[in-house]
Amino acid sequence: MAEVNIFFKKLIAKRKDLSKLESQVLEYILKYPNKVAELTIDEFANEIYISTATVSRTCKKLGFKGYQQLKYALDQYNLTKEDFHQGDKKNADIAEHITRFQKETEKTLAEVNPSQITRAVELLTNSNLVEFFGVGVSFPFCSDAARKLTFAGKISSARNDWDELRAVANNMKSNDLAILLSHSGETLHLMEYANILKQKQVPFILLAGTQNSYLETLADFTITAYSESFYYKDIDMSSRFSISLLMDLIIFEYIKQK
């Protein structure tokens, strides 16, 4: 899926040059590339309640001549993704998946930085409470980690309602700790929550499966797992268990030092 990743990385790299409104345009494109490819510029503008001029200006800042050229690029992206999925259908056997899982586990554990684990444990120990932030496929891993920490005696929660997560972020204090789990580091809702946490001066750790993401620029520090993007029949089958392994290491060290 290298072509797809490169396409998105080129767009993400332009984020620093965008205004707040233009960033909203980019985030919608990243979140719904298939949908945007089907919308007219007026429909797109109405979707996120901005002007067509802002949409057009953003397209140019992203390197396109205009909205139509962006739509053409998204069409090509979708074709590339479909070709990739067709390849998956032909080649995705059990042995291949086992090899992928082994690679993700072994590479993640081989590249663990003990000093980062120690730093995470220090933040965890000194915090009043811990809130986990993860949406979609990442949420069950947040719930699992919060449950383990609760049994270890640390006040900890994981919530899956987007509005509730926003309220939690707004009410956290500087002596609390947030832990964000994200495969891409570019999850739309998590970016919103991360900005709130930053404004509230709440320390937060990012456990991610991708380096150099937007969330990484906001986090107090990031621990990165090795995780490959994998789609099968339009279903995101990318694993999060390597991220969960890192969280378990932090919890093990926390319990050991109590």
Side-chain angles (χ1 to χ4, degrees):
M1 202 161 182
E3 295 89 347
V4 175
N5 287 335
I6 290 171
F7 175 80
F8 276 119
K9 285 180 179 178
K10 285 181 178 178
L11 296 184
I12 292 167
K14 301 285 187 179
R15 181 186 277 116
K16 63 182 184 299
D17 301 321
L18 304 180
S19 68
K20 185 175 181 179
L21 275 179
E22 292 163 353
S23 293
Q24 291 179 24
V25 175
L26 173 59
E27 301 313 332
Y28 196 85
I29 293 168
L30 295 174
K31 186 72 173 178
Y32 304 109
N34 293 359
K35 184 176 181 179
V36 173
E38 301 296 325
L39 296 175
T40 66
I41 190 170
D42 290 314
E43 291 168 336
F44 184 100
N46 288 335
E47 282 287 322
I48 55 176
Y49 306 103
I50 61 171
S51 69
T52 56
T54 299
V55 176
S56 180
R57 184 172 63 252
T58 306
C59 292
K60 291 176 182 178
K61 285 191 176 182
L62 292 175
F64 304 101
K65 291 181 179 178
Y67 184 69
Q68 288 304 316
Q69 190 178 55
L70 167 68
K71 288 183 60 175
Y72 175 79
L74 290 173
D75 282 334
Q76 296 305 304
Y77 152 74
N78 289 330
L79 287 173
T80 300
K81 189 174 70 171
E82 288 172 6
D83 290 342
F84 177 80
H85 294 331
Q86 292 299 324
D88 287 345
K89 293 173 186 177
K90 296 176 182 177
N91 302 317
D93 56 31
I94 295 298
E96 179 183 353
H97 295 312
I98 290 173
T99 299
R100 177 166 61 90
F101 296 153
Q102 288 176 331
K103 181 180 178 183
E104 290 182 352
T105 303
E106 291 171 1
K107 194 161 183 178
T108 294
L109 295 177
E111 296 180 0
V112 169
N113 185 336
S115 65
Q116 287 187 313
I117 301 297
T118 300
R119 186 179 175 192
V121 171
E122 289 174 354
L123 285 172
L124 186 56
T125 301
N126 296 327
S127 66
N128 181 48
L129 59 84
V130 179
E131 289 283 352
F132 284 87
F133 291 78
V135 297
V137 181
S138 296
F139 172 72
F141 297 101
C142 292
S143 180
D144 176 66
R147 180 176 179 273
K148 290 172 180 174
L149 281 177
T150 298
F151 280 115
K154 173 63 69 174
I155 300 172
S156 182
S157 299
R159 309 153 196 270
N160 63 356
D161 181 86
W162 295 344
D163 292 332
E164 188 176 358
L165 285 168
R166 184 181 299 107
V168 168
N170 274 305
N171 286 288
M172 291 186 73
K173 309 298 182 184
S174 59
N175 60 345
D176 298 328
L177 175 66
I179 300 178
L180 279 63
L181 272 65
S182 174
H183 171 68
S184 67
E186 299 286 342
T187 308
L188 190 62
H189 288 287
L190 289 189
M191 288 191 287
E192 177 191 356
Y193 308 144
N195 277 294
I196 294 172
L197 293 168
K198 200 70 177 178
Q199 292 170 6
K200 303 285 288 186
Q201 297 184 333
V202 178
F204 75 87
I205 303 168
L206 171 65
L207 298 181
T210 305
Q211 293 183 330
N212 303 318
S213 66
Y214 176 71
L215 286 175
E216 187 171 345
T217 66
L218 298 177
D220 287 76
F221 74 99
T222 301
I223 306 178
T224 306
Y226 180 80
S227 180
E228 296 183 358
S229 294
F230 190 88
Y231 285 77
Y232 184 69
K233 295 183 179 179
D234 281 335
I235 301 172
D236 181 1
M237 294 295 292
S238 306
S239 299
R240 272 71 171 176
F241 67 83
S242 56
I243 299 175
S244 182
L245 282 176
L246 294 177
M247 190 63 236
D248 277 352
L249 287 176
I250 294 170
I251 296 173
F252 284 139
E253 285 299 306
Y254 171 72
I255 295 173
K256 186 175 72 175
Q257 294 182 27
K258 285 194 65 182

